[in-house]
Amino acid sequence: MALRHIALFRWQDGVTPEQVAQVERLLGALPDAIPALDSYTFGPDLGISGGAYDFAVVAEVADEAGFVAYRDHPEHRSALAVIGPLLSDRAAIQYSIPGK
Amino acid sequence: MALRHIALFRWQDGVTPEQVAQVERLLGALPDAIPALDSYTFGPDLGISGGAYDFAVVAEVADEAGFVAYRDHPEHRSALAVIGPLLSDRAAIQYSIPGK
């Protein structure tokens, strides 16, 4: 089994496309910086369904130790310091997926 | 590009392990019933982080048409009819992922 971490964000009113682009730049640098990340995808809601969150981040790691390595990595913490003030809501989970 | 649909659930107080097992049986039947599903994983939160949702469902489909085929499929609708009354909260998104 592997582990998938999901975080969904709702942006505060007034968050700009430039701020979201900055978030995407910061997240985009993480796969090269954090070896524990086996897969890392993120992006905005596609606008297909009403009531959706605004932005998704999905990380796949081998196990709980890999998740903790990601969660506590300095570059991830730096990205979170930028993201946190932009959020009005966040939903998250870690669940098991079949190993690769 | 492909599309990933994420739904996170919080169960109401009093939802039993047997009810969650029934949900898992219903969801487990969907990949064989819905050809649009390229990947389908689901399961309970692993309890690693505080504040997490209780249960995740992640579907990968080729495009918006595939998502609609999944969303509106009768077996999926039947599963949702069981799941809906168990929920206290739900978070969802559809976002683009690199195609396979």
Side-chain angles (χ1 to χ4, degrees):
Chain A
M1 303 295 280
L3 185 159
R4 186 178 275 165
H5 162 73
I6 296 171
L8 307 185
F9 303 147
R10 279 195 206 277
W11 304 126
Q12 291 187 19
D13 291 344
V15 168
T16 66
E18 290 73 21
Q19 289 175 301
V20 176
Q22 183 192 9
V23 167
E24 293 188 311
R25 281 194 301 274
L26 291 167
L27 296 178
L30 297 185
D32 284 342
I34 308 178
L37 288 173
D38 293 330
S39 166
Y40 198 61
T41 62
F42 54 84
D45 179 58
L46 292 170
I48 299 171
S49 295
Y53 274 56
D54 295 318
F55 196 91
V57 181
V58 178
E60 292 179 17
V61 294
D63 50 25
E64 183 171 343
F67 170 68
V68 171
Y70 162 70
R71 185 190 66 193
D72 296 345
H73 191 282
E75 285 204 37
H76 182 233
R77 304 307 299 179
S78 295
L80 292 182
V82 172
I83 292 167
L86 307 180
L87 296 180
S88 71
D89 199 8
R90 178 180 180 276
I93 197 166
Q94 293 87 44
Y95 77 110
S96 288
I97 58 171
K100 304 208 167 175
Chain B
M1 302 294 280
L3 185 158
R4 186 178 275 164
H5 162 72
I6 297 171
L8 307 185
F9 303 148
R10 280 194 205 280
W11 305 124
Q12 290 186 20
D13 292 344
V15 168
T16 66
E18 290 73 21
Q19 288 174 300
V20 176
Q22 183 193 10
V23 168
E24 293 189 311
R25 280 193 301 275
L26 291 167
L27 297 178
L30 297 185
D32 284 342
I34 308 178
L37 288 172
D38 293 328
S39 165
Y40 198 61
T41 61
F42 53 84
D45 180 59
L46 293 170
I48 299 171
S49 295
Y53 274 57
D54 295 320
F55 196 90
V57 181
V58 178
E60 292 180 15
V61 293
D63 50 26
E64 182 170 344
F67 170 68
V68 171
Y70 162 70
R71 186 190 63 192
D72 296 346
H73 191 282
E75 285 204 39
H76 182 231
R77 305 306 301 178
S78 295
L80 292 183
V82 173
I83 292 168
L86 307 180
L87 296 181
S88 70
D89 198 8
R90 178 180 180 276
I93 197 166
Q94 294 86 44
Y95 76 110
S96 288
I97 58 171
K100 304 208 170 177

